[in-house]
Amino acid sequence: MSPQWIEIDDEVMAKVQAKAKPFVDSPNDALRRLLGLGSASEASCAPLPTAEPPVRSTRAQTGELLPMAEYLLPVLRAVSQAGGSAWRAEVRDAVEAALAGRFTPVDRAPLQNGQIRWENRLGFARLRLIERGHLRLGSRRGLWELTDAGVEELGRLEAEAQKRESEASG
Amino acid sequence: MNGPEDLRWIARDDAIPIRTLRDFLLQALRHDAIADVLIERMVSRAEAGRLDAHSLSVLLPELIGDVLDTTANEDWLAIADALIEDTREALLEEAET
């Protein structure tokens, strides 16, 4: 039988080590002893898994992306303007229009799976807004719903944005 | 790049390139009917320290299957109506031009 490669957790590894004869046993020998099996007649350990070529990371560097915080106001605004609930595609269009001039080339580039990076990040923005209680974890797929806390947050973010604009212009 | 052998066979004389097949699946998973749930499940697994390809590969077909399982005959009829209408118009346009 050809050897197989398995993964074990730290607790199991500690037990195996405790039952192993130092410098004599392989992990397989120790496991065989624990399981009440006789000694193995052939090679007792599988070779290490063949190293796969490293997957090229497409992780963006710091400063290459529009910060996630910048997505929150356009998302909340889009849902609010749609009457408190909006379809994902409506939110996506509104966010794209709002942030069109601010997306970086990296935001606009596709990920390895082909999806445009900012569209992927939009999904994470929704999740963060749900975690903060500003959007509802809805029962209808693709429908994003504002909560009362989200309405309050939208007011706060709008006020902040207006303040920044007036400071910038004045 | 995939070679000519990288195919999945639908019938004896009908094959789909694996690259096309995977693109189809990715597009389905990115659709609004699935995208939010997929992110929720992936982040949940990542936070629990158990985001790995093997377990995710079991979840992905379930996500697509769940959506397909909700379809009723009326959905396919509605789609068929739309496709027939578009095809009729395309054939008329083709004849006129």
Side-chain angles (χ1 to χ4, degrees):
Chain A
M1 192 169 68
S2 65
Q4 303 292 311
W5 178 260
I6 62 168
E7 286 184 8
I8 56 175
D9 62 32
D10 292 342
E11 192 179 11
V12 175
M13 185 64 189
K15 291 277 185 193
V16 172
Q17 282 176 323
K19 294 287 181 183
K21 295 175 184 171
F23 301 108
V24 176
D25 277 352
S26 68
N28 190 59
D29 293 327
L31 282 168
R32 290 187 73 88
R33 189 175 301 110
L34 276 169
L35 294 168
L37 301 170
S39 61
S41 57
E42 53 186 42
S44 54
C45 268
L48 283 167
T50 309
E52 292 178 2
V55 174
R56 187 172 58 84
S57 172
T58 57
R59 186 174 174 179
Q61 301 297 306
T62 306
E64 284 186 327
L65 299 173
L66 184 67
M68 182 64 79
E70 301 296 327
Y71 288 69
L72 306 184
L73 175 57
V75 168
L76 293 175
R77 192 185 277 160
V79 179
S80 174
Q81 287 176 350
S85 65
W87 294 106
R88 197 179 205 277
E90 295 176 302
V91 178
R92 184 169 51 228
D93 291 347
V95 169
E96 184 173 26
L99 299 178
R102 304 183 59 201
F103 285 136
T104 69
V106 180
D107 285 315
R108 293 184 180 284
L111 297 167
Q112 284 188 65
N113 68 27
Q115 187 178 26
I116 300 300
R117 188 184 291 268
W118 78 261
E119 291 184 11
N120 182 260
R121 283 166 63 77
L122 179 62
F124 284 88
R126 168 187 169 270
L127 205 55
R128 299 309 169 211
L129 285 165
I130 288 172
E131 287 168 357
R132 295 172 191 176
H134 300 148
L135 288 182
R136 188 168 289 115
L137 186 58
S139 60
R140 292 188 186 182
R141 297 255 182 125
L143 191 66
W144 295 16
E145 297 174 82
L146 206 58
T147 63
D148 291 341
V151 174
E152 280 182 31
E153 179 68 2
L154 174 59
R156 192 186 69 77
L157 291 173
E158 294 279 23
E160 267 186 15
Q162 280 179 1
K163 190 179 172 189
R164 275 199 305 271
E165 274 178 27
S166 62
E167 283 172 358
S169 61
Chain B
M1 192 173 160
N2 289 328
E5 74 282 10
D6 296 324
L7 300 169
R8 294 285 159 74
W9 292 89
I10 296 166
R12 196 172 172 179
D13 58 351
D14 186 10
I16 181 167
I18 288 176
R19 181 178 178 158
T20 305
L21 173 65
R22 291 180 185 176
D23 184 60
F24 167 79
L25 297 174
L26 275 170
Q27 288 198 44
L29 292 166
R30 281 202 296 263
H31 190 275
D32 290 357
I34 296 179
D36 290 338
V37 174
L38 177 57
I39 288 179
E40 286 164 17
R41 303 278 175 86
M42 289 185 70
V43 169
S44 165
R45 282 160 187 251
E47 288 171 350
R50 49 186 183 82
L51 181 62
D52 64 272
H54 287 291
S55 66
L56 194 64
S57 70
V58 175
L59 172 69
L60 299 180
E62 288 176 4
L63 290 176
I64 295 173
D66 286 346
V67 174
L68 290 177
D69 287 346
T70 67
T71 58
N73 196 40
E74 66 191 67
D75 301 319
W76 296 111
L77 279 172
I79 291 168
D81 281 342
L83 289 171
I84 288 167
E85 185 64 25
D86 289 345
T87 304
R88 277 189 185 135
E89 287 181 4
L91 288 170
L92 287 170
E93 287 164 4
E94 189 185 22
E96 290 167 359
T97 56

